[in-house]
Amino acid sequence: MPAPLHVTFAAGPEGPWRIDRIDALCGEGLEPAERLRVVEAASPKPVLAASWALRGVISNPRYTQRAELNGLAARQQGLRRPEASRAALIPIRKTESWWAMAQDERRAIFEEQSRHIAIGMDYLPAVARRLHHSRELAEPFDFLTWFEFAPEHETAFDAMLQRLRQTPEWRYIDREVDIRLSRY
């Protein structure tokens, strides 16, 4: 397994992504900012001149079974595709009742009841995604979800989010912010 990759999403006056809007869907929002930088490193790096910075790590897959991992690998395209000039950063925090459950109980809600992975697969390869874990870093969110897509796939992306937000899993979310971005 490769070493974890530390990722910081830093909002401020500079960065390749323009922040088009920040919507607090549940719980406290984030301060407005103009641009977003995505800083990737083998170890955490300090970020200067940021309105806010959210940190996460890409590590081993969780809640996934082998067949799901294989399906995702076969269908998903990578990030930074030239045509994917739209993005969304969606930080999420789950409730304490979520974390009080055993892993198999969370998995049952996540996939067997909510079909989280199956719903996401319906939108591949148009929507590329990457999950960052933040809970173990004592960050304000548990997960930072990053999505990239072409402008013509934004409606499909919104449909995917609507489906996910209607699942039993979303009863366990107590903070969610939807940050929309564009790159020209």
Side-chain angles (χ1 to χ4, degrees), residues 57-59 62 129-133 143-146:
V57 66
I58 301 165
S59 62
R62 303 172 198 181
R129 57 104 186 107
R130 187 167 72 180
L131 178 65
H132 309 82
H133 298 271
F143 305 101
L144 308 174
T145 55
W146 177 257

Side-chain angles (χ1 to χ4, degrees), residues 4-176:
L5 178 66
H6 294 265
V7 181
T8 302
F9 297 92
E14 298 177 0
W17 292 97
R18 181 183 73 203
I19 298 175
D20 297 322
R21 69 179 205 262
I22 301 174
D23 297 323
L25 302 178
C26 181
E28 183 182 349
L30 293 168
E31 293 296 318
E34 293 178 43
R35 310 292 292 184
L36 185 79
R37 288 180 287 144
V38 181
V39 181
E40 300 175 352
S43 61
K45 299 286 183 206
V47 176
L48 305 175
S51 300
W52 47 262
L54 301 175
R55 293 169 181 81
V57 66
I58 301 165
S59 62
N60 62 301
R62 303 172 198 181
Y63 303 134
T64 51
Q65 297 176 350
R66 173 51 51 200
E68 294 161 343
L69 285 173
N70 292 345
L72 289 167
R75 294 194 60 198
Q76 179 162 303
Q77 292 189 6
L79 299 175
R80 299 180 190 92
R81 295 174 290 166
E83 70 275 11
S85 61
R86 300 291 185 274
L89 171 61
I90 304 179
I92 292 174
R93 184 179 66 208
K94 299 248 178 139
T95 64
E96 287 306 315
S97 61
W98 174 265
W99 296 110
M101 288 187 261
Q103 175 106 358
D104 63 325
E105 295 170 312
R106 292 192 304 267
R107 162 67 192 193
I109 294 167
F110 177 79
E111 190 57 28
E112 282 76 23
Q113 293 176 29
S114 299
R115 300 186 62 249
H116 188 117
I117 296 168
I119 289 170
M121 291 274 288
D122 289 345
Y123 298 89
L124 296 177
V127 177
R129 57 104 186 107
R130 187 167 72 180
L131 178 65
H132 309 82
H133 298 271
S134 300
R135 183 174 173 81
E136 292 83 5
L137 302 176
E139 287 288 307
F141 295 94
D142 296 325
F143 305 101
L144 308 174
T145 55
W146 177 257
F147 303 93
E148 293 180 7
F149 45 90
E152 61 268 21
H153 296 129
E154 190 159 9
T155 301
F157 176 71
D158 288 334
M160 179 189 73
L161 290 180
Q162 182 177 14
R163 287 177 65 193
L164 287 168
R165 289 174 178 146
Q166 293 173 349
T167 66
E169 179 188 2
W170 249 251
R171 292 192 301 251
Y172 294 94
I173 303 234
D174 68 4
R175 189 173 182 200
E176 179 182 8

